[in-house]
Amino acid sequence: MTVMRRSAATVDRSMRARLLTTLSVLGPPLLQPAHVAALLPQSWTIAASAVGLAIVIAGKITLGRSFGLMPANRGVVSSGVYRIVRHPIYLGYLITHVAFLAATPSAWNIAALLAADAALLARAVCEEQTLSRDERYRAYQQTVRWRVCPGVF
């Protein structure tokens, strides 16, 4: 998807955007299996992971060639799961991360995902600063109220 993506009208190449993108992407590969008791039954964590993955896939399919890692405007997408929240892929990531932590709640995994997910949420704000230069995105923000999680933020 990154190779075949649309050209961007604007791209945020600031050090802040680079750092947030790097931190949010590097956190999950640092996770480790843990020999600790799960907080929830395996059936729940598998189901939650599947839901999160389905949201990520739906978001990426809906974005199509507009997908990219750095904050950029490759066109405003407002259909599919983007009618519910402005960053559904991030919502899917957060759901899968919570499910993973419920299955393997080690101090290392908690620290890695707290750092990565804090960067992910800050990255969403960074992306919106770039996208909000576009009048169509500002109108979309008025239509779709929630940034990442319906009813929360």
Side-chain angles (χ1 to χ4, degrees), residues 16 87 90 120-130 147:
R16 176 179 178 245
H87 298 275
Y90 294 174
L120 186 73
L121 295 174
R123 183 175 161 197
V125 172
C126 192
E127 287 180 10
E128 294 211 339
Q129 289 170 345
T130 300
R147 182 176 284 145

Side-chain angles (χ1 to χ4, degrees), residues 104-117:
T104 56
S106 71
W108 173 261
N109 289 339
I110 291 167
L113 284 180
L114 278 176
D117 290 346

Side-chain angles (χ1 to χ4, degrees), residues 77-131:
V77 175
S78 58
S79 60
V81 289
Y82 287 84
R83 290 178 294 171
I84 302 164
V85 293
R86 297 190 305 260
H87 298 275
I89 294 171
Y90 294 174
L91 172 62
Y93 290 159
L94 292 174
I95 292 170
T96 60
H97 296 171
V98 168
F100 185 85
L101 287 178
T104 56
S106 71
W108 173 261
N109 289 339
I110 291 167
L113 284 180
L114 278 176
D117 290 346
L120 186 73
L121 295 174
R123 183 175 161 197
V125 172
C126 192
E127 287 180 10
E128 294 211 339
Q129 289 170 345
T130 300
L131 289 164

Side-chain angles (χ1 to χ4, degrees), residues 14-128:
S14 68
M15 187 54 69
R16 176 179 178 245
R18 291 171 193 244
L19 181 62
L20 291 173
T21 299
T22 301
L23 287 174
S24 64
V25 170
L26 287 181
L30 295 176
L31 299 177
Q32 299 176 352
H35 301 289
V36 295
L39 299 176
L40 296 169
Q42 185 178 26
S43 59
W44 186 92
T45 60
I46 289 170
S49 293
V51 167
L53 181 60
I55 292 170
V56 169
I57 291 169
K60 288 183 179 182
I61 288 171
T62 303
L63 269 184
R65 293 183 52 227
S66 294
F67 178 80
L69 293 179
M70 294 297 292
N73 185 349
R74 292 183 179 85
V76 177
V77 175
S78 58
S79 60
V81 289
Y82 287 84
R83 290 178 294 171
I84 302 164
V85 293
R86 297 190 305 260
H87 298 275
I89 294 171
Y90 294 174
L91 172 62
Y93 290 159
L94 292 174
I95 292 170
T96 60
H97 296 171
V98 168
F100 185 85
L101 287 178
T104 56
S106 71
W108 173 261
N109 289 339
I110 291 167
L113 284 180
L114 278 176
D117 290 346
L120 186 73
L121 295 174
R123 183 175 161 197
V125 172
C126 192
E127 287 180 10
E128 294 211 339

